[in-house]
DNA sequence: ATGAAAGCGCTAACAG
DNA sequence: CTGTTAGCGCTTTCAT
């Protein structure tokens, strides 16, 4: 900016006013300064600007990793932000080894005040909710009470997914849970258990395990469930998210089981990979992009000082594709 | 920081030294200040810090959009950065309507100096190469001469992809090109033409069109090619990237053509979607994550003041899946 | 209509 | 060892 001022023969204050479209500068000077700015390719430094003015016009989205789930959310948020006068930057939790818990708090503290005016955190690692800047959480942690949150109806979705499997005729149904510290994971297991209870079926503890929402962590528990003796082995598995479900299918096939002939698999999320998978995955869809968009709208409302609904729960939808079928030898009931 | 200083009964300079692990502070004071910092949950402001010190410890990755291609690159870059003492943030080009060309230059100017120490730009929209900070380009623009770049061997890959189709027995092969302003797109078309020329087959102009690397833009040109009279219609199509190839398959099926029985389709990139697609896509793989990682390593080298190889070209690999087969009625040649 | 000066939160030089 | 001082690039009074 000093360069621009010198080159244009004016003070930095004048340049600043031109840059910020303040009035009180003669039109001829404005034009001249604009010209010099263009010639020099000058752009105001975001950091300095917001250090001084206390506003950056940028909001951050913190994700632990760039995987399909957070990427869909990101797409939705990026789409929604067009309607607002903010820019979006995504920050990934990087190594964050050692300080797993609450890394988002530390990062937000560091970024807020000079870099971002607010943030969206995806599947937070901790309950921390005292942030120095407006924050909206998507798929919140257990007990994240005071933060505005966006989530899907995990309980209802799990209930419906399980009911669907039951309606197909399955009775021995396995459940591969998510990350124990997340609300969504708890709700999905609760929904599963409720549906089973409603059907009067007791759930065998051997058929329930946890994959942490991660493919890698899902292999061993899945193998354990699928290598049970044939009479104890489930005819269907409900995986708490799509990436786990896909891994379940891969493990099943590696064990010589055909999907859906020998075993049905239903997922949760409906990430793009679910539809594209070789055996198109039947799954409970979350409106991921809408959720990202909704969170962004809420954040912008918060930033505008408006009141916002604190907790938004979006509906899930059953998407029937090819990974589920009635169990082998099942005769459908005749309702006529 | 002022709060911390007051609370700890020391000067801000002392706090700064503690924060930055400078020596010259008595161990007892260090411990005390550390305690206060922890109590207050204080984190230094990135903007102010780097405004003063001229270094932020953060590098940016600028992408036009979060789609599979850039996301894979992002994953690779995120992985590679763990070995360096930098953090990664991703910036998406947002609306960038109106100023399509060179938006990355404007953003980088704004971010550099206070926010990022360097950047990776993905499929840049312009030839601009005068950046105020170290920059590495992935999949560069035509004529981006002075910037260090990372790309794959698009020419060789296209040559091999086309040769593969020819080896299957195809003779009428269509080509759906990418974004005309990118080096990769030009190279892929050149590779395609070279392979056809090598085989002594003249390419029909009706069979060549452009999809801009985008599914949406690929629909109409694909339909035009596939609705040619049966004797002019190609038996195979080479699409310049996977997302276009998938769209080609969808259009083909909507026209009643079966893939690969009636028409073979080969893509380029090998994004995750290619493997997951209902008809697993045969494609020329780029080592996307490695490319992202390589670009990050180059950038970090640049930042360290080391010399770097200016232009890295990574090899491509044919990945045979299910979307290609010999043309109908083709009798394979007997080489015995 | 314009510029001088103060200060945002921080670090680096220098004094003590 | 510790505090004082200056100033990074910018915006914002407040004089002129």
């Amino acid at each position: 900016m000093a360069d621009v001022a010198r080159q244009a023969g004016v003070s930095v204050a004048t340049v600043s006013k031109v840059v910020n479209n303040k009035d009180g500068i003669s039109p001829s000077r404005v034009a001249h300064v604009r010209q010099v700015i263009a010639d020099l390719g000058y752009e105001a430094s975001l950091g300095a600007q917001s250090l001084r003015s206390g506003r950056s016009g940028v909001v951050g989205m913190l994700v632990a990793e760039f995987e399909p789930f957070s990427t869909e959310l990101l797409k939705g948020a990026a789409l929604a932000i067009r309607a607002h006068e903010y820019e979006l930057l995504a920050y990934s939790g990087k190594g964050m080894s050692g300080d797993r818990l609450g890394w988002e708090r530390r990062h937000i503290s560091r970024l807020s005040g000079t870099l971002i005016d607010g943030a969206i955190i995806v599947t937070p690692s901790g309950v921390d909710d005292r942030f120095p800047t407006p924050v909206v959480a998507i798929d919140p942690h257990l007990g994240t009470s005071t933060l505005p949150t966006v989530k899907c109806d995990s309980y209802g979705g799990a209930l419906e997914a399980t009911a669907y499997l039951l309606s197909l005729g399955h009775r021995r149904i396995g459940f591969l849970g998510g990350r124990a510290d997340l609300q969504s994971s708890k709700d999905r297991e609760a929904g599963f258990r409720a549906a089973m209870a409603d059907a009067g079926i007791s759930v065998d503890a051997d058929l329930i395990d946890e994959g942490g929402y991660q493919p890698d962590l899902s292999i061993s528990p899945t193998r354990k469930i699928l290598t049970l003796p044939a009479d104890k082995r489930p005819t269907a598995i409900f995986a708490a998210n799509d990436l786990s479900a896909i891994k379940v299918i891969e493990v099943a096939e590696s064990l010589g089981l055909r999907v859906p002939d020998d075993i049905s698999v239903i997922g949760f999320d409906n990430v793009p990979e679910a539809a594209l998978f070789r055996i198109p995955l039947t799954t409970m869809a979350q409106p991921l992009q809408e959720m990202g968009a909704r969170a962004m709208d809420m954040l912008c409302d918060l930033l505008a000082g408006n009141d916002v609904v604190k907790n938004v729960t979006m509906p899930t939808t059953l998407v029937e594709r090819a990974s589920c079928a009635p169990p082998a030898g099942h005769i459908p009931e005749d309702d006529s």
Side-chain angles (χ1 to χ4, degrees), chain A:
Chain A
M1 169 168 280
D3 297 333
V4 176
R6 199 177 315 111
Q7 178 86 16
V10 298
S11 71
V12 291
T14 301
V15 177
S16 172
K17 282 165 191 156
V18 171
V19 167
N20 296 292
N21 298 310
K22 305 276 183 191
D23 44 30
I25 307 289
S26 70
S28 62
R29 267 192 186 292
V30 171
H32 180 225
V33 172
R34 285 243 161 77
Q35 185 57 53
V36 174
I37 287 178
D39 289 349
L40 267 49
Y42 166 81
E43 290 289 335
S45 156
L46 217 212
Q49 226 169 8
S50 69
L51 175 58
R52 184 59 239 243
S53 63
R55 183 182 189 283
S56 67
V58 175
V59 298
M61 184 142 178
L62 269 67
V63 303
E65 232 187 309
F66 293 106
E67 23 70 39
F69 180 81
S70 52
T71 304
E72 286 306 294
L73 257 14
L74 212 46
K75 285 181 195 161
L79 223 58
I81 207 171
R82 297 189 181 198
H84 306 276
E85 47 176 6
Y86 285 97
E87 305 246 40
L88 209 213
L89 73 75
Y91 213 89
S92 116
K94 199 197 168 179
M96 63 159 188
S97 43
D99 65 329
R100 212 184 93 70
L101 221 101
W103 62 271
E104 38 275 282
R105 155 78 176 279
R106 290 198 17 260
H107 281 268
I108 290 181
S109 298
R110 229 170 122 55
L111 301 179
S112 72
T114 40
L115 227 170
I116 57 175
D117 296 338
I120 295 174
I121 55 182
V122 179
T123 54
S125 65
V127 276
D128 213 334
D129 52 11
R130 294 173 311 133
F131 291 99
T133 194
V135 166
V136 174
I138 299 181
D139 193 6
H141 198 274
L142 266 175
T144 313
S145 48
T146 64
L147 239 42
T149 58
V150 174
K151 54 180 165 52
C152 75
D153 178 15
S154 286
Y155 179 84
L159 202 69
E160 186 179 350
T162 311
Y164 171 69
L165 255 18
L166 289 165
S167 78
L168 249 28
H170 294 279
R171 287 300 171 267
R172 296 195 60 76
I173 303 177
F175 179 77
L176 186 68
R179 234 177 66 188
D181 61 321
L182 294 179
Q183 184 72 48
S184 61
S185 182
K186 201 189 107 196
D187 289 350
R188 284 172 209 177
E189 180 167 343
F192 167 74
R193 289 184 184 276
M196 294 297 272
D198 285 352
I201 302 175
S202 65
V203 295
D204 187 340
D206 287 350
L207 300 187
I208 299 201
D209 211 328
E210 231 168 64
Y213 286 144
Q214 290 185 282
D216 291 352
L217 301 181
S218 301
I219 299 176
S220 151
T222 302
R223 173 161 286 133
K224 221 177 57 202
I225 292 175
L226 292 183
T227 50
L228 251 24
D231 63 318
K232 302 206 69 181
R233 193 203 300 145
T235 61
I237 289 191
F238 172 20
N241 75 341
D242 288 344
L243 258 33
S244 305
I246 287 176
K247 184 54 78 179
V248 167
I249 294 180
E250 290 176 348
V251 170
E253 290 186 332
S254 79
L255 258 25
L257 264 22
R258 288 165 310 155
V259 176
D261 311 73
D262 299 325
I263 184 156
S264 291
V265 179
I266 189 167
F268 205 110
D269 284 353
N270 196 30
V271 292
E273 277 73 359
L276 295 172
F277 189 56
R278 157 165 57 80
I279 300 169
L281 190 72
T282 294
T283 188
M284 284 305 303
Q286 297 190 53
L288 294 174
Q289 294 202 18
E290 285 88 334
M291 287 166 68
R294 190 62 194 274
M296 182 56 73
D297 289 340
M298 282 168 70
L299 180 59
C300 289
D301 266 359
L302 233 40
L303 290 168
N306 301 336
D307 284 339
V308 295
V309 183
K310 287 299 241 181
N311 293 289
V312 171
T313 302
M314 313 278 280
T316 56
T317 327
L318 177 67
V319 178
E320 295 188 58
R321 287 195 275 247
S323 63
C324 291
H330 175 76
I331 290 90
E333 291 168 33
D334 191 348
D335 288 353
S336 69

